[in-house]
Amino acid sequence: MKEINVNVCLGTTCFVMGGTNLNELLEIVPKKYGDKVKVSGSPCLGLCSINWEYSKAPYVKVNNEVVAEATVEKVLNEIERQMTNEQ
Amino acid sequence: MNNNSQAIHLKKEILIRLVKAFFSENFPQNARLIPYDMRPKGSEVPYRCCIYKERAILKDRCIAGLGFAIEEDDETRLLSDYAQKALEREIPQNDPLTVLDAACKGCVPSRVYVTNLCQGCVARPCQSTCKFGAISIVDGKSVIDGTKCKNCKMCISACPYNAIVKLVVPCEDACPVGAIAKDENGHAKIDFDICINCGKCIDACPFAAVHEKSQIIDILRRIKEGKKVIAMIAPSIVGQFPGSIYQLKSAIKKAGFYDVYEVAQGADITSLNEAKEFAERMERGEKFMTTSCCAGYNQLIKKHMPEIKPYVSTTKTPLFYTAELVKNKVPDSITVFVSPCVAKRTEGMENPNIDFVMNYEELGALFVGRKIEILSCEEEKFDKESSKQGRNFGVTGGVAKAVQDASDKQDSIKPCIISGLNKDSIKQLKKMAKDGCNSDGCNLVEVMCCEGGCVRGNATINNSRSAYKVLNEFVENSPEIKEPKK
Ligand code: FES
């Protein structure tokens, strides 16, 4: 199975626009998926500076998929989706 | 902390757009276009009945962002006019809150209501418990007569089916002093004569209809003019942004501020003075003293509880000492308090040493609008490191602890804590004022308007749990206010 990489943006825009709860992913994901899913925090992913895209912050990347207006829920769903697609 | 995430997101977006517009070549024109940029022709209508109403509400939000009262808007004035006026304004408007009439849904009036879960039972406990004869049976079901009902809620607990509910108006319910209520048209109005500016209605309204009147344009104008604009950051700011507070300092300077001071520095002065004052009062035989640093509490005293005044510490707030210090050091500076809450705006208006107030959301919007990445900023230390105690002022219990630690006779202090002003805690304070003592035998009463302290102020960004963790670590690594006695 292909490895899934989750990249949580901890940049200023994402933080200010409501990304503070996403920190929890750094704890939840390893607990839930062990080493099947790698999760890390990252400085600005560069998505917020495209046009008015900051209005869709916070962002999380699950492999190459961008989750906009991310919530813990949405990100977990995306992980599940990619896992089932793999199988 | 507002948990209305959708609504708060919108408010921040408006502020960011205003910042961007301010720095564009044509501020008034670009400000005018904000509602159209956010809801361009043909775009979907996420919240309201139609795109025109969406834009009208966004315009109102911009008016608040530009620092004007929406109540005074006659709808004919263009946003570009407001932007221009904001640029010309010398002093910000009074009364820091404003309500968007068009966004206020005018929730159903607060009352007790029988839902259709009513089984029309034979026992009819609701009817027999009601002391006011407000309940009658119509078509086999209970009905409440609003003219007789006194909202005592006895029927709610009597009904075995949980069929009776209390309908609340969130803002009315949240206001500890009854200052916000629906007017004859069903829209919320604030009575500024009794409002203590605690900001609880801002958090409570699910339609985000209550706004702070921002001073961000006033501040940005001073920065653009090259004035020495100095930020004084409240202790509770630690944990509200990514990175360390030292990185935050250089980020704020990058945004155009001349310098940054920790208000925790003033908090250290407050603690030491208040400890002295406390000892003197006890010597005089007084039974208790309350703290005096919370602006919401100070408004409450002024407008609702003058009788407690003799028991309130006359020591000044951390912000007072910090602003004094800054103005002495840099006399031609413009001082800006960076605040977790709306209440401090009133203190800013009353103290000539404090020129403007900017909340955490507005500072965040400034960073986003100017594309400032805190994590890539250098660390820059403060001239003077504040103490552990001063840096913990924004957490419930922190002020009492600081006064205690600053005192020479720590054992004489028996602190107790009021964490959050609400109808019950106000009653408690009134009782203390009346009795002239505190029934629990405590002699130092710490009062904070927000439950949990300033870390839960209405304009905070981070959730309190994660903010507290960061703040706590920072506090632990800070120096003591005084060498502890061996
Ligand atoms: S801060 Fe998250 S993408 Fe820039």
Side-chain angles (χ1 to χ4, degrees):
Chain A
M1 203 174 91
K2 208 175 92 204
E3 181 173 89
I4 294 183
N5 274 304
V6 179
N7 225 332
V8 181
C9 182
L10 302 177
T12 303
T13 303
C14 288
F15 195 97
V16 169
M17 295 308 273
T20 54
N21 289 325
L22 299 174
N23 264 329
E24 289 174 21
L25 283 169
L26 303 179
E27 283 169 35
I28 298 174
V29 170
K31 244 189 234 152
K32 205 162 167 200
Y33 301 105
D35 46 14
K36 274 191 281 185
V37 180
K38 282 224 167 71
V39 59
S40 57
S42 129
C44 176
L45 294 171
L47 295 158
C48 61
S49 48
I50 317 170
N51 284 330
W52 288 103
E53 289 298 330
Y54 67 79
S55 65
K56 298 256 162 32
Y59 293 104
V60 174
K61 265 171 122 179
V62 182
N63 283 343
N64 282 326
E65 280 306 312
V66 173
V67 183
E69 292 176 88
T71 57
V72 171
E73 217 24 3
K74 266 188 172 174
V75 174
L76 292 179
N77 284 344
E78 178 60 25
I79 295 174
E80 291 290 333
R81 195 188 64 81
Q82 292 196 19
M83 282 184 145
T84 32
N85 279 358
E86 273 287 312
Q87 279 156 16
Chain B
M1 170 76 188
N2 194 311
N3 43 18
N4 246 316
S5 56
Q6 210 66 281
I8 200 83
H9 197 276
L10 202 62
K11 283 183 179 176
K12 286 181 204 157
E13 185 176 344
I14 298 265
L15 289 168
I16 297 167
R17 286 184 184 262
L18 283 170
V19 170
K20 292 219 177 204
F22 178 85
F23 287 101
S24 69
E25 316 81 270
N26 193 342
F27 170 44
Q29 179 63 2
N30 287 323
R32 185 181 72 79
L33 293 175
I34 290 175
Y36 301 91
D37 290 336
M38 289 177 73
R39 297 289 176 266
K41 190 175 164 194
S43 66
E44 57 172 313
V45 181
Y47 305 114
R48 310 283 169 170
C49 58
C50 64
I51 197 163
Y52 309 104
K53 179 149 189 193
E54 286 257 338
R55 286 187 192 141
I57 293 173
L58 291 172
K59 178 187 169 196
D60 282 353
R61 296 193 194 283
C62 289
I63 293 177
L66 290 166
F68 294 99
I70 299 150
E71 289 88 344
E72 287 159 19
D73 179 51
D74 66 358
E75 291 178 26
T76 61
R77 217 142 125 220
L78 295 174
L79 269 181
S80 41
D81 262 23
Y82 279 108
Q84 193 57 43
K85 278 230 140 172
L87 283 178
E88 291 158 9
R89 167 175 61 207
E90 280 313 311
I91 13 176
Q93 287 195 342
N94 280 341
D95 299 329
L97 289 171
T98 179
V99 184
L100 281 78
D101 199 50
C104 173
K105 181 165 156 286
C107 320
V108 290
S110 167
R111 65 195 147 108
V112 179
Y113 175 75
V114 185
T115 67
N116 55 16
L117 291 175
C118 172
Q119 307 290 313
C121 66
V122 181
R124 292 177 185 169
C126 55
Q127 201 175 21
S128 52
T129 46
C130 181
K131 283 187 252 163
F132 309 104
I135 298 186
S136 54
I137 312 296
V138 178
D139 295 334
K141 305 234 169 173
S142 300
V143 174
I144 297 174
D145 178 348
T147 59
K148 291 185 184 154
C149 173
K150 299 261 190 280
N151 289 311
C152 73
K153 300 193 266 187
M154 291 298 282
C155 55
I156 296 181
S157 33
C159 176
Y161 297 103
N162 295 326
I164 309 179
V165 294
K166 168 102 200 276
L167 295 174
V168 297
V169 179
C171 60
E172 287 183 15
D173 202 46
C175 179
V177 293
I180 191 164
K182 290 146 67 64
D183 64 6
E184 56 287 354
N185 304 318
H187 288 128
K189 277 241 144 46
I190 297 175
D191 180 346
F192 290 107
D193 290 336
I194 58 174
C195 170
I196 60 171
N197 297 295
C198 66
K200 292 188 198 289
C201 53
I202 304 180
D203 278 359
C205 177
F207 289 87
V210 188
H211 270 254
E212 289 186 48
K213 287 191 273 184
S214 178
Q215 302 171 5
I216 193 161
I217 300 301
D218 309 66
I219 297 165
L220 293 179
R221 193 193 104 194
R222 284 8 177 237
I223 288 180
K224 207 174 188 177
E225 287 170 355
K227 299 261 166 62
K228 294 178 182 161
V229 184
I230 294 182
M232 307 179 286
I233 53 176
S236 59
I237 204 166
V238 178
Q240 295 298 325
F241 290 94
S244 73
I245 189 176
Y246 305 115
Q247 284 176 302
L248 184 66
K249 180 181 175 183
S250 41
I252 294 175
K253 285 175 78 169
K254 210 166 163 188
F257 285 81
Y258 179 76
D259 206 353
V260 183
Y261 283 75
E262 273 186 286
V263 171
Q265 195 178 342
D268 284 346
I269 308 177
T270 299
S271 311
L272 292 164
N273 288 351
E274 206 153 309
K276 238 186 262 145
E277 181 188 358
F278 177 84
E280 285 163 17
R281 280 177 181 259
M282 294 303 121
E283 233 153 73
R284 286 203 299 267
E286 290 181 27
K287 295 280 186 310
F288 77 100
M289 178 182 93
T290 85
T291 56
S292 62
C293 47
C294 169
Y297 175 48
N298 285 334
Q299 292 283 309
L300 178 78
I301 300 166
K302 196 162 125 189
K303 294 183 174 173
H304 299 271
M305 263 199 241
E307 70 270 25
I308 204 165
K309 190 94 213 208
Y311 304 101
V312 179
S313 162
T314 54
T315 297
K316 303 292 187 202
T317 68
L319 175 55
F320 177 95
Y321 294 120
T322 311
E324 189 176 59
L325 198 134
V326 173
K327 286 280 185 183
N328 282 340
K329 218 162 158 183
V330 192
D332 58 341
S333 62
I334 304 277
T335 52
V336 176
F337 176 56
V338 183
S339 168
C341 72
V342 60
K344 278 283 180 190
R345 292 191 191 271
T346 56
E347 188 175 332
M349 284 162 194
E350 286 162 6
N351 183 339
N353 280 342
I354 305 157
D355 295 308
F356 298 105
V357 175
M358 168 189 236
N359 69 25
Y360 295 164
E361 286 169 359
E362 290 159 353
L363 179 62
L366 178 56
F367 287 146
V368 177
R370 302 299 282 155
K371 295 197 175 154
I372 294 169
E373 188 55 49
I374 305 169
L375 288 172
S376 52
C377 289
E378 303 269 311
E379 299 226 309
E380 190 180 329
K381 297 279 176 207
F382 295 94
D383 290 343
K384 186 172 181 299
E385 285 287 314
S386 304
S387 79
K388 179 181 260 177
Q389 285 76 7
R391 284 172 170 168
N392 203 31
F393 247 60
V395 179
T396 203
V399 177
K401 178 83 173 52
V403 174
Q404 209 169 7
D405 288 355
S407 159
D408 297 324
K409 285 188 243 144
Q410 302 195 350
D411 302 337
S412 65
I413 302 182
K414 309 243 165 344
C416 60
I417 277 142
I418 294 209
S419 172
L421 288 178
N422 50 46
K423 290 178 185 113
D424 289 337
S425 56
I426 290 176
K427 243 189 240 153
Q428 230 176 309
L429 284 164
K430 285 204 157 153
K431 186 168 183 312
M432 282 182 219
K434 189 158 158 251
D435 300 350
C437 69
N438 186 294
S439 48
D440 311 331
C442 105
N443 51 17
L444 177 67
V445 186
E446 177 199 284
V447 186
M448 288 198 193
C449 183
C450 296
E451 206 179 310
C454 313
V455 282
R456 297 270 294 272
N458 70 281
T460 50
I461 289 174
N462 201 349
N463 64 59
S464 56
R465 197 164 47 96
S466 109
Y468 181 72
K469 225 166 104 189
V470 181
L471 177 61
N472 207 31
E473 204 188 301
F474 179 59
V475 164
E476 283 311 311
N477 291 316
S478 300
E480 290 286 342
I481 188 163
K482 233 171 143 176
E483 276 307 311
K485 276 228 219 70
K486 309 270 148 43

